[in-house]
Amino acid sequence: MENTADNGSRGPPSDYLSALATAKKLAIEKAKQKRRPALPEVEKPVTETKAVKDTASIQGKKQGNTVKPSSHHNRSGPATVKREPEVESLASSRTQATGSTANQYAGLVCAKKRKRKERTPEPAHRTVASGAEEAQVLPNRPFAPLKKKVRGARPPYENVCLVDTRTTRHSSEWYESIDLKQKYARSDLESLKYMSSLIRSCEAEAKKDGQGELQVILPNLRQRLHHMEFYDFLSGVLVKKSKLLEDGGLPSIFSGNDGVQYPWDIRADSLQLYQKWLAGVIDPHLLRGIETKTNRTANGKETKSRSLQKDYKDRVSCNYVGAGRLQNGRWWPFQICAMRDGAHGEIEGGIHGQPGNGAYSVVVSSGGYSDEDRGGTLKYCGTSGTDGKPSVGTNQLKDSWKRKNPVRVLRSSALPAANPYRPAKGLRYDGLYDVVDYEILDLDTAMHRFTLSRCAGQDPIRCKGVERRPTGEELAEYSKIRALLGLGA
């Protein structure tokens, strides 16, 4: 009767409640284990492998024992078997007999790990105290490198030279600061790049040893250089984008590193154009930086006067010995233009120099002096003195003779027409001359005549042939200026 009453009640059976309570306890226990810190790894028991089973079965047969298999009801993991010492000794003897050096089974891999840990024990944590103790025990092993012993005061350096590590040519500040975002005409850029194509053609013909084709290209190259002096569309962005001032452009002509034997006048003209553009002087006007004024006298006579602009930033000083950046054959329409570019420091005087430094340059012109011009040698008269004392210019030439300093010589178109070295118009720089001797022509005026000899190693005087200066382009530009000034041809 009790059993019937219990079965008919609506409450859950007692077995179910006890199972539910047990499940709750397990869940709470698992949650606690998750919140606990991780415990150090415990070495897992060795799993039973096939090799161990075979070894255990063989050993059991020999001793008449049986090995109990794992329970069929426990399916949660592999069965574990406790190894006997005899089984391990038998496995090791088999390994030695077969001569195998590595075991592929999981149980023996764990043994290797144990051996590795025994051989390399974990180092103890180092503390400050242990480090200090080690330093006391090992005094020759400091925490930082030892300081080098001072051997006394270092002697002063002599002959200090600045080493130039650039592998390319020096560029100017103006060239480096050019804004490449400026607008330009593509046709103007192509006109400049045509020079690069001529240079590449010369290099290609030189490699093929085609002297015939090269002789056709070189006149075109020479004429293009003369035209480029008066390009009126030049701008900084065009010069930089054309890359004519970089390797492969004009430097490849005057440096001679590309295997092409350019004529000496082309090398000089390319170097002059390179130096001019590199300095930022891209204005093609012959009278750049010069003011021209028209004056009319009371009687109605009109005269012209020229002077340098005070704010002209590209003026070059004339007070130096030597050629500076002047190239043999450089030409100017007026003497004031030569003063602007650092060739001669006088607007009208024929001798320029400084007291104590000698003469820097002279202009060979007419004027009633007893000059003799033979090209390589020159008889050049100083100026008249007073009371038997030499003039300032004469003393400067005497100082150059004493110091053995060369002077720059410029020839003027005012020379007699019979002089073969006379330029057609304006003035031309004809190189450096040494003052080798002098003679006194008149004691009353202290008139001295100096013998000047052209320095060796310079290009010939550019007075004839295709090398002649001024060029046809320079003469055409000069004629335009004279027409504007009303001076005639």
Side-chain angles (χ1 to χ4, degrees):
M1 293 294 292
E2 292 179 1
N3 294 336
T4 305
D6 293 338
N7 294 334
S9 62
R10 294 184 179 181
S14 58
D15 294 341
Y16 174 76
L17 294 174
S18 60
L20 183 61
T22 304
K24 286 182 178 181
K25 289 181 181 180
L26 291 175
I28 293 171
E29 189 68 25
K30 286 183 178 180
K32 290 181 179 180
Q33 289 180 358
K34 287 182 179 180
R35 289 194 296 269
R36 291 174 185 171
L39 297 176
E41 294 184 0
V42 181
E43 191 173 323
K44 294 182 180 180
V46 181
T47 58
E48 184 180 15
T49 60
K50 184 178 179 182
V52 176
K53 285 183 180 180
D54 294 342
T55 307
S57 61
I58 293 170
Q59 188 69 17
K61 287 179 180 180
K62 285 184 178 182
Q63 296 181 359
N65 299 328
T66 58
V67 179
K68 294 182 180 181
S70 59
S71 176
H72 296 284
H73 300 284
N74 187 7
R75 297 176 183 270
S76 60
T80 58
V81 178
K82 187 177 181 180
R83 288 189 180 182
E84 298 292 337
E86 296 178 357
V87 176
E88 293 182 358
S89 63
L90 180 60
S92 62
S93 63
R94 279 194 173 189
T95 304
Q96 294 176 0
T98 56
S100 60
T101 58
N103 199 333
Q104 302 177 358
Y105 299 100
L108 296 183
V109 169
C110 293
K112 282 188 175 183
K113 288 183 178 179
R114 286 196 300 271
K115 289 181 181 179
R116 193 181 298 116
K117 288 183 180 180
E118 291 174 359
R119 291 175 183 174
T120 57
E122 295 183 1
H125 292 288
R126 185 164 184 160
T127 61
V128 178
S130 63
E133 292 175 359
E134 184 179 352
Q136 292 178 0
V137 176
L138 302 173
N140 296 328
R141 187 181 173 186
F143 292 101
L146 295 175
K147 292 184 178 180
K148 295 182 179 180
K149 296 181 179 179
V150 180
R151 298 181 179 179
R154 179 179 293 176
Y157 292 111
E158 296 180 356
N159 299 328
V160 179
C161 299
L162 182 64
V163 179
D164 186 6
T165 58
R166 290 181 63 93
T167 57
T168 58
R169 295 186 175 275
H170 292 272
S171 59
S172 64
E173 183 179 353
W174 168 84
Y175 187 74
E176 294 295 335
S177 61
I178 293 174
D179 184 11
L180 295 178
K181 296 181 180 179
Q182 298 176 8
K183 294 182 179 181
Y184 61 91
R186 191 173 298 274
S187 59
D188 296 339
L189 181 60
E190 292 301 323
S191 297
L192 288 175
K193 285 188 174 181
Y194 180 65
M195 171 59 71
S196 300
S197 65
L198 290 175
I199 295 173
R200 289 193 298 269
S201 300
C202 291
E203 294 173 359
E205 293 299 328
K207 291 179 181 179
K208 294 188 295 186
D209 199 14
Q211 294 296 326
E213 292 294 332
L214 191 61
Q215 298 304 320
V216 175
I217 300 173
L218 289 177
N220 194 5
L221 181 66
R222 179 184 288 110
Q223 187 177 14
R224 178 63 59 165
L225 281 172
H226 297 166
H227 279 299
M228 289 170 64
E229 287 276 356
F230 301 102
Y231 277 170
D232 56 357
F233 56 80
L234 282 180
S235 64
V237 63
L238 283 173
V239 173
K240 193 162 188 177
K241 281 189 171 291
S242 66
K243 297 183 179 180
L244 287 176
L245 302 185
E246 302 176 11
D247 295 339
L250 295 176
S252 63
I253 298 178
F254 58 80
S255 63
N257 296 330
D258 295 329
V260 183
Q261 297 295 329
Y262 291 100
W264 57 268
D265 65 302
I266 293 181
R267 293 198 305 268
D269 291 343
S270 63
L271 179 57
Q272 176 182 316
L273 188 63
Y274 171 83
Q275 292 176 341
K276 179 182 173 183
W277 285 2
L278 191 64
V281 183
I282 58 177
D283 186 0
H285 187 34
L286 287 175
L287 301 184
R288 59 184 176 277
I290 296 173
E291 294 179 345
T292 302
K293 296 179 180 180
T294 301
N295 307 312
R296 191 177 297 275
T297 61
N299 57 3
K301 186 177 180 180
E302 187 178 293
T303 60
K304 302 288 190 302
S305 63
R306 287 173 287 272
S307 61
L308 281 171
Q309 296 176 357
K310 295 181 180 180
D311 57 347
Y312 184 67
K313 61 182 181 61
D314 294 324
R315 180 179 177 179
V316 181
S317 174
C318 303
N319 299 329
Y320 62 92
V321 176
R325 292 187 176 183
L326 300 175
Q327 301 303 317
N328 178 52
R330 187 162 182 180
W331 176 83
W332 300 272
F334 302 107
Q335 191 164 322
I336 191 173
C337 299
M339 185 174 72
R340 174 199 63 197
D341 294 336
H344 187 69
E346 304 293 334
I347 296 179
E348 294 181 355
I351 302 173
H352 172 65
Q354 286 180 317
N357 294 330
Y360 298 132
S361 59
V362 297
V363 174
V364 185
S365 182
S366 63
Y369 292 97
S370 300
D371 297 337
E372 296 179 7
D373 190 1
R374 298 187 181 91
T377 58
L378 182 64
K379 297 284 188 178
Y380 185 80
C381 291
T383 55
S384 300
T386 56
D387 300 330
K389 295 181 180 179
S391 64
V392 175
T394 301
N395 284 330
Q396 290 173 354
L397 283 172
K398 291 177 69 176
D399 288 341
S400 297
W401 172 72
K402 293 177 182 178
R403 294 171 177 267
K404 296 183 179 181
N405 289 338
V407 295
R408 300 184 291 272
V409 171
L410 287 77
R411 285 184 170 87
S412 171
S413 60
L415 286 169
N419 189 332
Y421 307 103
R422 164 184 172 268
K425 299 289 182 181
L427 296 93
R428 184 186 64 228
Y429 170 65
D430 286 341
L432 297 176
Y433 284 69
D434 288 324
V435 183
V436 296
D437 198 5
Y438 69 90
E439 57 183 331
I440 301 175
L441 300 180
D442 186 14
L443 293 176
D444 294 335
T445 58
M447 175 59 68
H448 289 57
R449 187 166 69 175
F450 298 87
T451 302
L452 279 64
S453 176
R454 198 164 190 265
C455 298
Q458 300 182 97
D459 293 334
I461 299 173
R462 303 183 66 171
C463 58
K464 60 182 179 180
V466 294
E467 304 91 358
R468 182 177 61 250
R469 296 290 295 268
T471 63
E473 290 75 13
E474 289 171 335
L475 290 175
E477 191 68 20
Y478 180 56
S479 297
K480 295 177 183 179
I481 295 175
R482 291 185 63 88
L484 288 174
L485 296 176
L487 300 177

